[in-house]
Amino acid sequence: MELAEAALLVAAGLAAGTVNAVAGGGSLITFPALLAIGLPPISANVTNSLSVAPGYLAAVAGSRVDLPRSRLLAALLPTAVVGALAGAGLLLVTPARAFELVVPFLVLGATALLAFQDPLRRLVGHPRDLAPRRRAVTVQVVVAVAAVYGGYFGAAVGVMLVAGLALVLDATLARVSAIKNLLSAVIGLTTVVVFAIAGPVNWAGVAVVAPATLVGGYAGARLVRRLPSVILKTVIVVFGTVIGTYLLWRALS
């Protein structure tokens, strides 16, 4: 790897770690960077999944004071692991084309959920009005869908988690973001295990990108705690719209 290529990956890792902690979608920075240094698409996708996982851990450390101490959160972790395993398995054994066509609509749909959160809550009911069992089941479904997606591709999994969780949890957006960071870390670490064993990983790329995502992830998580909810929501919606539109263009081109 040449010095210019390493510098590109370091810059991409810093930016991706920050973006993942704030909104999600940092993989759309690191994935093209890995392609740009000459990695094949599947190798770049797998390498990217391993590279951004440490940034999620740093984001959890930066937002740990906002994490709730609840049984619901503990119950979501196995769901995230199983979903991520399923998604990573799909990536390794199935053609990517069909999923590529669905992914943009998942991202754009999740972004719309967050953008129109208040009207939707008036339509389906506020989380505090939901029966505990119904709320628990709904949250599990949200996490399962996002985890399968995250195991398969990963870009904008944070947007999907924030959008779904914000709709069904009675919590501040900073707390929802902290939960998103923890679940993203679990999903990311699960894919690390799968891809490290069975995927075509470029370990040199991981060695360069991963430390940079650690720094960016911690900085991004600290930034989230200082942003007003309305600004944080706007940032996530803008990121989600841009990411979904880009993925749709790429799938149709």
Side-chain angles (χ1 to χ4, degrees), residues 27-28 31-32 35 41 45 96-97 100-101 103-104 153 155 243-253:
S27 289
L28 292 185
F31 180 66
L35 290 175
N45 191 15
R97 183 58 182 165
E100 285 179 357
L101 292 173
V103 162
F153 183 60
I243 292 165
T245 303
Y246 167 77
L247 290 173
L248 182 60
W249 170 81
R250 196 179 72 172
L252 297 178
S253 61

Side-chain angles (χ1 to χ4, degrees), residues 12-196:
L14 286 169
T18 304
V19 168
N20 278 337
V22 174
S27 289
L28 292 185
I29 301 172
T30 47
F31 180 66
L34 290 165
L35 290 175
I37 68 168
L39 295 188
I42 294 297
S43 179
N45 191 15
V46 170
T47 301
N48 176 72
S49 294
L50 268 71
S51 299
V52 300
Y56 289 127
L57 292 175
V60 172
S63 60
R64 63 190 181 280
V65 297
D66 289 314
L67 279 173
R69 309 294 189 266
S70 68
R71 287 189 218 170
L72 175 61
L73 182 58
L76 293 176
L77 301 183
T79 303
V81 171
V82 173
L85 286 172
L90 283 173
L91 175 65
L92 295 175
V93 302
T94 62
R97 183 58 182 165
F99 202 83
E100 285 179 357
L101 292 173
V102 174
V103 162
F105 297 100
L106 291 175
V107 175
L108 291 172
T111 303
L113 280 179
L114 185 61
F116 299 102
Q117 175 186 339
D118 293 333
L120 284 170
R121 278 184 168 178
R122 288 193 291 271
L123 181 65
V124 303
H126 195 278
R128 71 171 68 98
D129 299 326
L130 297 176
R133 183 176 180 82
R134 180 183 174 188
R135 182 169 60 247
V137 171
T138 305
V139 173
Q140 290 283 0
V141 171
V142 167
V143 172
V145 171
V148 171
Y149 168 81
Y152 191 95
F153 183 60
V157 66
V159 175
M160 297 181 70
L161 282 168
V162 169
L165 294 173
L167 189 62
V168 298
L169 293 180
D170 185 17
T172 65
L173 201 54
R175 172 154 288 187
V176 168
S177 182
I179 297 171
K180 174 264 295 180
N181 288 337
L182 177 60
L183 293 174
S184 295
V186 171
I187 294 168
L189 289 174
T190 303
T191 60
V192 163
V193 173
V194 175
F195 294 151

